[in-house]
PDB file of all heavy atoms in Angstrom:
ATOM      1  N   CYS A  47      22.702  24.059   5.078  1.00  0.00           N
ATOM      2  CA  CYS A  47      21.960  24.520   3.892  1.00  0.00           C
ATOM      3  C   CYS A  47      21.990  26.038   3.741  1.00  0.00           C
ATOM      4  O   CYS A  47      21.409  26.580   2.797  1.00  0.00           O
ATOM      5  CB  CYS A  47      20.523  24.014   3.923  1.00  0.00           C
ATOM      6  SG  CYS A  47      19.502  24.735   5.217  1.00  0.00           S
ATOM      7  N   GLY A  48      22.669  26.722   4.668  1.00  0.00           N
ATOM      8  CA  GLY A  48      22.767  28.177   4.563  1.00  0.00           C
ATOM      9  C   GLY A  48      21.467  28.894   4.831  1.00  0.00           C
ATOM     10  O   GLY A  48      21.205  29.969   4.281  1.00  0.00           O
ATOM     11  N   SER A  49      20.648  28.320   5.699  1.00  0.00           N
ATOM     12  CA  SER A  49      19.375  28.945   6.040  1.00  0.00           C
ATOM     13  C   SER A  49      19.345  29.202   7.544  1.00  0.00           C
ATOM     14  O   SER A  49      20.388  29.353   8.165  1.00  0.00           O
ATOM     15  CB  SER A  49      18.214  28.036   5.603  1.00  0.00           C
ATOM     16  OG  SER A  49      16.985  28.708   5.689  1.00  0.00           O
ATOM     17  N   SER A  50      18.160  29.283   8.127  1.00  0.00           N
ATOM     18  CA  SER A  50      18.032  29.542   9.563  1.00  0.00           C
ATOM     19  C   SER A  50      17.152  28.485  10.212  1.00  0.00           C
ATOM     20  O   SER A  50      16.387  27.783   9.535  1.00  0.00           O
ATOM     21  CB  SER A  50      17.418  30.920   9.800  1.00  0.00           C
ATOM     22  OG  SER A  50      16.075  30.955   9.346  1.00  0.00           O
ATOM     23  N   GLU A  51      17.241  28.373  11.539  1.00  0.00           N
ATOM     24  CA  GLU A  51      16.421  27.415  12.263  1.00  0.00           C
ATOM     25  C   GLU A  51      14.938  27.781  12.128  1.00  0.00           C
ATOM     26  O   GLU A  51      14.076  26.904  12.035  1.00  0.00           O
ATOM     27  CB  GLU A  51      16.834  27.370  13.732  1.00  0.00           C
ATOM     28  CG  GLU A  51      18.229  26.772  13.956  1.00  0.00           C
ATOM     29  CD  GLU A  51      18.591  26.656  15.418  1.00  0.00           C
ATOM     30  OE1 GLU A  51      17.960  25.822  16.118  1.00  0.00           O
ATOM     31  OE2 GLU A  51      19.494  27.389  15.873  1.00  0.00           O
ATOM     32  N   ALA A  52      14.659  29.084  12.127  1.00  0.00           N
ATOM     33  CA  ALA A  52      13.268  29.527  11.966  1.00  0.00           C
ATOM     34  C   ALA A  52      12.711  29.110  10.608  1.00  0.00           C
ATOM     35  O   ALA A  52      11.552  28.697  10.495  1.00  0.00           O
ATOM     36  CB  ALA A  52      13.186  31.050  12.109  1.00  0.00           C
ATOM     37  N   ALA A  53      13.555  29.202   9.564  1.00  0.00           N
ATOM     38  CA  ALA A  53      13.126  28.803   8.225  1.00  0.00           C
ATOM     39  C   ALA A  53      12.850  27.306   8.166  1.00  0.00           C
ATOM     40  O   ALA A  53      11.947  26.855   7.447  1.00  0.00           O
ATOM     41  CB  ALA A  53      14.185  29.175   7.196  1.00  0.00           C
ATOM     42  N   ILE A  54      13.613  26.537   8.917  1.00  0.00           N
ATOM     43  CA  ILE A  54      13.412  25.082   8.956  1.00  0.00           C
ATOM     44  C   ILE A  54      12.053  24.754   9.551  1.00  0.00           C
ATOM     45  O   ILE A  54      11.321  23.907   9.040  1.00  0.00           O
ATOM     46  CB  ILE A  54      14.543  24.397   9.760  1.00  0.00           C
ATOM     47  CG1 ILE A  54      15.866  24.530   9.005  1.00  0.00           C
ATOM     48  CG2 ILE A  54      14.212  22.921  10.008  1.00  0.00           C
ATOM     49  CD1 ILE A  54      17.075  24.094   9.802  1.00  0.00           C
ATOM     50  N   ILE A  55      11.698  25.444  10.641  1.00  0.00           N
ATOM     51  CA  ILE A  55      10.403  25.213  11.278  1.00  0.00           C
ATOM     52  C   ILE A  55       9.268  25.635  10.345  1.00  0.00           C
ATOM     53  O   ILE A  55       8.260  24.933  10.215  1.00  0.00           O
ATOM     54  CB  ILE A  55      10.310  25.979  12.616  1.00  0.00           C
ATOM     55  CG1 ILE A  55      11.423  25.524  13.578  1.00  0.00           C
ATOM     56  CG2 ILE A  55       8.939  25.781  13.242  1.00  0.00           C
ATOM     57  CD1 ILE A  55      11.433  24.031  13.848  1.00  0.00           C
ATOM     58  N   ARG A  56       9.446  26.771   9.672  1.00  0.00           N
ATOM     59  CA  ARG A  56       8.417  27.225   8.717  1.00  0.00           C
ATOM     60  C   ARG A  56       8.271  26.223   7.574  1.00  0.00           C
ATOM     61  O   ARG A  56       7.164  25.948   7.116  1.00  0.00           O
ATOM     62  CB  ARG A  56       8.777  28.604   8.156  1.00  0.00           C
ATOM     63  CG  ARG A  56       8.648  29.744   9.142  1.00  0.00           C
ATOM     64  CD  ARG A  56       8.602  31.096   8.414  1.00  0.00           C
ATOM     65  NE  ARG A  56       9.759  31.290   7.546  1.00  0.00           N
ATOM     66  CZ  ARG A  56      10.905  31.831   7.933  1.00  0.00           C
ATOM     67  NH1 ARG A  56      11.043  32.241   9.193  1.00  0.00           N
ATOM     68  NH2 ARG A  56      11.910  31.994   7.088  1.00  0.00           N
ATOM     69  N   PHE A  57       9.413  25.698   7.122  1.00  0.00           N
ATOM     70  CA  PHE A  57       9.413  24.706   6.047  1.00  0.00           C
ATOM     71  C   PHE A  57       8.610  23.475   6.462  1.00  0.00           C
ATOM     72  O   PHE A  57       7.794  22.963   5.683  1.00  0.00           O
ATOM     73  CB  PHE A  57      10.853  24.316   5.708  1.00  0.00           C
ATOM     74  CG  PHE A  57      10.985  23.055   4.905  1.00  0.00           C
ATOM     75  CD1 PHE A  57      10.705  23.049   3.552  1.00  0.00           C
ATOM     76  CD2 PHE A  57      11.387  21.868   5.507  1.00  0.00           C
ATOM     77  CE1 PHE A  57      10.821  21.880   2.807  1.00  0.00           C
ATOM     78  CE2 PHE A  57      11.513  20.706   4.773  1.00  0.00           C
ATOM     79  CZ  PHE A  57      11.224  20.709   3.410  1.00  0.00           C
ATOM     80  N   CYS A  58       8.838  22.998   7.685  1.00  0.00           N
ATOM     81  CA  CYS A  58       8.117  21.815   8.179  1.00  0.00           C
ATOM     82  C   CYS A  58       6.612  22.065   8.198  1.00  0.00           C
ATOM     83  O   CYS A  58       5.824  21.222   7.741  1.00  0.00           O
ATOM     84  CB  CYS A  58       8.607  21.447   9.576  1.00  0.00           C
ATOM     85  SG  CYS A  58      10.308  20.833   9.638  1.00  0.00           S
ATOM     86  N   LYS A  59       6.218  23.234   8.694  1.00  0.00           N
ATOM     87  CA  LYS A  59       4.792  23.554   8.763  1.00  0.00           C
ATOM     88  C   LYS A  59       4.192  23.724   7.366  1.00  0.00           C
ATOM     89  O   LYS A  59       3.037  23.386   7.131  1.00  0.00           O
ATOM     90  CB  LYS A  59       4.590  24.819   9.595  1.00  0.00           C
ATOM     91  CG  LYS A  59       4.888  24.614  11.077  1.00  0.00           C
ATOM     92  CD  LYS A  59       4.649  25.878  11.885  1.00  0.00           C
ATOM     93  CE  LYS A  59       4.910  25.626  13.361  1.00  0.00           C
ATOM     94  NZ  LYS A  59       4.696  26.841  14.196  1.00  0.00           N
ATOM     95  N   ARG A  60       5.001  24.241   6.461  1.00  0.00           N
ATOM     96  CA  ARG A  60       4.534  24.458   5.083  1.00  0.00           C
ATOM     97  C   ARG A  60       4.166  23.133   4.416  1.00  0.00           C
ATOM     98  O   ARG A  60       3.241  23.074   3.602  1.00  0.00           O
ATOM     99  CB  ARG A  60       5.623  25.146   4.266  1.00  0.00           C
ATOM    100  CG  ARG A  60       5.239  25.462   2.841  1.00  0.00           C
ATOM    101  CD  ARG A  60       4.561  26.799   2.693  1.00  0.00           C
ATOM    102  NE  ARG A  60       5.462  27.903   3.007  1.00  0.00           N
ATOM    103  CZ  ARG A  60       5.105  29.169   2.955  1.00  0.00           C
ATOM    104  NH1 ARG A  60       3.877  29.500   2.603  1.00  0.00           N
ATOM    105  NH2 ARG A  60       5.967  30.133   3.256  1.00  0.00           N
ATOM    106  N   ILE A  61       4.861  22.065   4.757  1.00  0.00           N
ATOM    107  CA  ILE A  61       4.574  20.765   4.143  1.00  0.00           C
ATOM    108  C   ILE A  61       3.644  19.926   5.017  1.00  0.00           C
ATOM    109  O   ILE A  61       3.454  18.731   4.768  1.00  0.00           O
ATOM    110  CB  ILE A  61       5.875  19.981   3.838  1.00  0.00           C
ATOM    111  CG1 ILE A  61       6.678  19.691   5.103  1.00  0.00           C
ATOM    112  CG2 ILE A  61       6.710  20.724   2.814  1.00  0.00           C
ATOM    113  CD1 ILE A  61       7.884  18.792   4.884  1.00  0.00           C
TER     114      ILE A  61
END
Side-chain angles (χ1 to χ4, degrees):
C47 68
S49 191
S50 67
E51 292 183 68
I54 292 171
I55 301 304
R56 289 197 304 271
F57 164 76
C58 292
K59 291 181 178 180
R60 182 88 66 180
I61 61 174

